[in-house]
Amino acid sequence: MTEPRVFSKGHKIIAIGVISLIAFFGLESLAYISNLYQMQLFLQVSAFIYLFMLIWLHFLFDMHFKDQSLIPKNLAHAVAIRIRHFTRWEHFRYFQNYLILPGILYWGAVILIGINFQQYKLQQFVIFATSISLIICYTFFKEIFHRREVNTNHFIILTYVKLYASWLIYAASLGIIWYYCFSPTIFYIVIFLVTFMLLYQALFQFAALSLKHVFHILIISVLLSASSYFVYKLWNVNYFSAGLFMTAVYNFLWNVFYHRINKTLNLRVLGEQLTIFILIVVMVLGVTNFKARIDRCQF
C-alpha cells in the first residue's frame, strides 16, 4: 500500500468547504423545490446532488490511494488511473463501506424534506442537522483515508452521527410508507437492510469483521426488523417518535454487542445500557399519543 500523502491545512479547509456547500445548499435547494410541489424536479435534483457527493468522496479517496508514480498521457489514461485502484478488492471494499453513512444521512433527509411539504421549521432542522453530520463524515473520512486507520475519537463521534442517521432513516422510512401508502413489508425490509449496513460499517471501522460478528449483526438486524412490525401497528401519528424508539433499540443492542466484542460486557454495563434504554423509551412513550388516529392505508 502506498504511503500516506501530506496535505496542508488549506487542502483540509477546501475539502470541508466543498462538502459544506454541497450538503447545506443542496438540501436547501431541495426544500425550496419541495415547497413548490415540483416532485419530479425534486427527485431529479436530489439524484444530481447525490452524484456530486459520490464524486467528491471518490476525489478524497483518490487523493490518498492513487499511484503517484503514474503520469497520465491523455484524458482517457487519466480517467483510467483514477479508477484503477477500484480494480483491487481491498480498495473497492474500503471505499464502498464509506458510502453507507453519507448515503443514509442524505436520503433520510431527502425523504423527510419531501414528505413534510411547507413545514419550514422542521425542514430547516433536518437540513442543519444533516449538513453538520455530513460535514463531520467527510472531514473524518478524509483523515481516515490519510492515516489508513480510525482513531478512537473518530469512531466515537461517528457512532453518534450513526445514531442520528438511524433516527433519520427509521422515521423517514415509516413516514414515506404512510405518505405514499406503500406495503409495510417494504418498511420491515428497509429497517433490516439499513440496520445491517450501519452495523457492518461500524465493524469495518472497528476492524472486527468476521463471519461470527456478521452473524451477530444479522440477528440484531432481524430484531430491529421485528420491532418495526410492532411500531407500524402501534404508532399512527408521530413517526418521529417511532424512529426515536427504534433508535433506542438499535443503540441498546449495538452497545451490548460492542462491549461483548471488547470483552467488557458485565452486569454493571448491561444494567447501565438497560437503564438508558428504559429512560429513552419512557420519554418517547410519554410524548406519543397512541389514541390519536389518522386515516392511512391498512394492510
Side-chain angles (χ1 to χ4, degrees):
M1 185 173 286
T2 57
E3 290 294 322
R5 297 176 65 187
V6 177
F7 290 90
S8 67
K9 187 176 294 184
H11 285 106
K12 296 180 180 179
I13 294 173
I14 292 173
I16 295 172
V18 170
I19 189 56
S20 300
L21 290 173
I22 294 174
F24 183 76
F25 289 105
L27 292 175
E28 284 287 358
S29 66
L30 288 177
Y32 178 78
I33 296 170
S34 172
N35 292 329
L36 294 176
Y37 208 70
Q38 299 291 324
M39 298 314 295
Q40 182 175 355
L41 180 61
F42 178 83
L43 292 175
Q44 292 171 345
V45 174
S46 62
F48 189 69
I49 293 171
Y50 185 63
L51 178 62
F52 266 102
M53 290 176 57
L54 288 178
I55 291 172
W56 187 244
L57 186 61
H58 171 265
F59 176 74
L60 296 177
F61 184 85
D62 178 72
M63 282 197 305
H64 297 282
F65 285 88
K66 68 181 179 182
D67 189 345
Q68 300 299 313
S69 64
L70 296 175
I71 300 175
K73 300 175 182 177
N74 49 49
L75 180 60
H77 188 222
V79 172
I81 291 174
R82 291 294 181 271
I83 63 175
R84 183 176 181 178
H85 40 250
F86 288 129
T87 60
R88 295 176 56 184
W89 169 244
E90 178 188 1
H91 285 179
F92 178 76
R93 176 169 166 265
Y94 198 82
F95 178 72
Q96 60 90 20
N97 269 277
Y98 287 95
L99 292 176
I100 294 172
L101 186 55
I104 290 175
L105 285 166
Y106 177 74
W107 288 111
V110 167
I111 293 171
L112 287 182
I113 290 171
I115 65 177
N116 285 281
F117 177 66
Q118 293 188 347
Q119 299 293 318
Y120 302 109
K121 291 182 179 179
L122 174 59
Q123 288 177 338
Q124 290 305 312
F125 167 76
V126 171
I127 289 169
F128 178 78
T130 305
S131 296
I132 295 298
S133 298
L134 286 169
I135 292 167
I136 291 173
C137 284
Y138 275 71
T139 303
F140 284 2
F141 289 175
K142 184 182 185 303
E143 291 300 315
I144 293 168
F145 294 160
H146 174 64
R147 300 177 185 276
R148 307 291 201 274
E149 64 179 5
V150 183
N151 65 39
T152 303
N153 290 333
H154 288 169
F155 184 80
I156 292 173
I157 295 174
L158 286 173
T159 297
Y160 289 119
V161 173
K162 285 172 188 170
L163 288 178
Y164 170 72
S166 66
W167 169 79
L168 195 69
I169 198 65
Y170 292 157
S173 300
L174 184 56
I176 198 171
I177 290 296
W178 288 352
Y179 193 86
Y180 286 105
C181 205
F182 294 142
S183 168
T185 303
I186 298 175
F187 175 56
Y188 310 146
I189 293 173
V190 168
I191 297 305
F192 171 81
L193 293 176
V194 167
T195 303
F196 180 80
M197 287 190 293
L198 285 172
L199 293 172
Y200 184 86
Q201 187 187 54
L203 285 180
F204 180 84
Q205 293 172 348
F206 190 54
L209 269 179
S210 67
L211 286 177
K212 179 181 178 181
H213 291 158
V214 170
F215 177 72
H216 288 155
I217 65 174
L218 274 172
I219 294 175
I220 294 175
S221 302
V222 169
L223 291 174
L224 260 294
S225 186
S227 72
S228 69
Y229 171 81
F230 296 101
V231 166
Y232 182 84
K233 294 297 182 182
L234 294 176
W235 262 263
N236 203 39
V237 175
N238 192 343
Y239 51 84
F240 296 106
S241 66
L244 188 58
F245 170 79
M246 296 190 65
T247 297
V249 177
Y250 166 86
N251 183 58
F252 172 72
L253 294 175
W254 159 248
N255 277 297
V256 171
F257 180 50
Y258 176 76
H259 283 288
R260 189 175 185 277
I261 293 175
N262 283 328
K263 299 181 179 179
T264 56
L265 183 63
N266 51 45
L267 288 177
R268 183 183 64 82
V269 171
L270 184 61
E272 290 174 353
Q273 295 302 321
L274 190 58
T275 301
I276 294 172
F277 172 71
I278 292 173
L279 286 174
I280 296 174
V281 170
V282 168
M283 288 188 291
V284 169
L285 298 181
V287 299
T288 303
N289 182 7
F290 291 98
K291 293 182 180 180
R293 287 290 178 263
I294 59 173
D295 291 330
R296 63 178 175 89
C297 301
Q298 299 293 332
F299 291 87

